[in-house]
Amino acid sequence: MEWSIQEIARRAGTTSRTLRHYGDLGLLAPSRVGSNGYRYYDQDALVRLQRILLLRELGLSLPAIKGVLEGQRDTAVALRAHLRLLEQEQARIGRQIASVRTTLHRTQEGMELMAEEVFDGFDHTAHEREVTERWGREAYEEGDRWWRSLGEAGKKAFLDEHEAIARDWGRAREAGLGAGSEQAQDIARRHCAWLSSSKAPSRSYVVGLGEMYVADPRFGKNYDRYGDGTAAFVRDALTIYAEQRLTD
């Protein structure tokens, strides 16, 4: 059985352009190319694409992924390694869910909170240090208070809004829009409005955040999963918006 490039892109939540880019880099060759020029992928290609997407989720660059794939010829061994990583992440998220449920229960019942239960599955120390170094202690404490005040429904709404914005960034880049176009700048406006949920962002903050989306794969992958180069597109559009609309 084989699938067309459009079918694979849709099912994988990516784009035909991205799959062709993977092919150009030697990451994902089609199993055949039809007389009409369309690319088709068989089962082996699907498994390879799954591995590529898993490695992208881990924050690896495309050259690094190519090196990993070339060094792991045994697909079963590689998939078992991926599975272990996913199971570890599943366990961590499971502890976070249990932690939040415990906190909610104890808060509603007026019970004393236990620190080891509240933070099980979280690594607040690493984020605290990073945010403090970038934007200062006050910024971390203010953001932490705001996040904790949202409640479960508020946190979900906040994350869902970002997901919608990220998808629109990917669509705008794939459509070939310029970073300074009216459509891209409207997404930048929405992005900055999303950022201002806790505090109105300054010009330098937004510009610095855009740079971080490109420099740090942990953040960049939130956008590049909608197509390679999306994080850079976001940075460029946010920089234009910040320079024209925001102040320090």
Side-chain angles (χ1 to χ4, degrees), residues 152-214:
E152 188 172 348
K155 291 176 181 177
K156 183 180 184 303
F158 181 78
L159 296 175
D160 286 347
E161 174 64 15
H162 177 259
E163 187 67 19
I165 292 171
R167 282 197 302 269
D168 287 344
W169 279 126
R171 290 167 181 158
R173 182 207 54 77
E174 186 177 10
L177 298 177
S181 67
E182 181 180 350
Q183 298 93 323
Q185 287 301 291
D186 186 61
I187 302 174
R189 176 192 58 76
R190 289 167 51 206
H191 197 125
C192 289
W194 174 76
L195 290 171
S196 67
S197 298
S198 58
K199 182 181 180 181
S202 66
R203 176 192 299 153
S204 59
Y205 174 79
V206 171
V207 171
L209 197 63
E211 292 293 345
M212 188 173 68
Y213 290 159
V214 176

Side-chain angles (χ1 to χ4, degrees), residues 18-38:
T18 296
L19 296 181
R20 287 193 294 271
H21 182 57
Y22 289 168
D24 294 340
L25 294 177
L27 279 170
L28 183 69
S31 53
R32 73 178 179 92
V33 179
S35 58
N36 54 7
Y38 286 2

Side-chain angles (χ1 to χ4, degrees), residues 11-77:
R11 293 176 184 276
T14 185
T15 65
S16 298
R17 180 178 176 179
T18 296
L19 296 181
R20 287 193 294 271
H21 182 57
Y22 289 168
D24 294 340
L25 294 177
L27 279 170
L28 183 69
S31 53
R32 73 178 179 92
V33 179
S35 58
N36 54 7
Y38 286 2
R39 303 184 184 197
Y40 295 88
Y41 299 83
D42 59 14
Q43 180 172 302
D44 289 340
L46 258 64
V47 173
R48 187 174 177 89
L49 177 58
Q50 183 189 60
R51 294 176 62 191
I52 292 170
L53 297 177
L54 286 168
L55 291 168
R56 288 291 278 167
E57 284 292 322
L58 294 176
L60 271 68
S61 67
L62 293 180
I65 291 174
K66 185 176 182 180
V68 170
L69 294 178
E70 290 176 350
Q72 293 181 333
R73 298 294 183 181
D74 191 323
T75 300
V77 171

Side-chain angles (χ1 to χ4, degrees), residues 102-247:
T102 298
T103 301
L104 178 62
H105 172 70
R106 287 182 177 273
T107 300
Q108 289 178 329
E109 298 296 324
M111 301 168 63
E112 183 178 355
L113 295 176
M114 305 294 290
E116 61 271 20
E117 292 178 337
V118 171
F119 298 121
D120 186 28
F122 294 85
D123 186 11
H124 285 140
T125 303
H127 293 296
E128 176 181 356
R129 181 170 56 253
E130 184 171 1
V131 173
T132 300
E133 290 175 353
R134 286 182 181 272
W135 293 294
R137 181 69 190 177
E138 183 178 351
Y140 169 78
E141 292 179 346
E142 183 174 355
D144 186 57
R145 285 193 301 269
W146 168 80
W147 179 251
R148 292 176 185 277
S149 73
L150 285 182
E152 188 172 348
K155 291 176 181 177
K156 183 180 184 303
F158 181 78
L159 296 175
D160 286 347
E161 174 64 15
H162 177 259
E163 187 67 19
I165 292 171
R167 282 197 302 269
D168 287 344
W169 279 126
R171 290 167 181 158
R173 182 207 54 77
E174 186 177 10
L177 298 177
S181 67
E182 181 180 350
Q183 298 93 323
Q185 287 301 291
D186 186 61
I187 302 174
R189 176 192 58 76
R190 289 167 51 206
H191 197 125
C192 289
W194 174 76
L195 290 171
S196 67
S197 298
S198 58
K199 182 181 180 181
S202 66
R203 176 192 299 153
S204 59
Y205 174 79
V206 171
V207 171
L209 197 63
E211 292 293 345
M212 188 173 68
Y213 290 159
V214 176
D216 193 325
R218 294 173 303 167
F219 298 96
K221 69 180 181 181
N222 293 322
Y223 303 101
D224 280 341
R225 63 196 174 99
Y226 290 106
D228 290 325
T230 301
F233 180 70
V234 174
R235 176 201 60 194
D236 295 345
L238 286 179
T239 298
I240 293 172
Y241 184 87
E243 295 291 347
Q244 294 179 351
R245 305 294 183 87
L246 303 179
T247 60

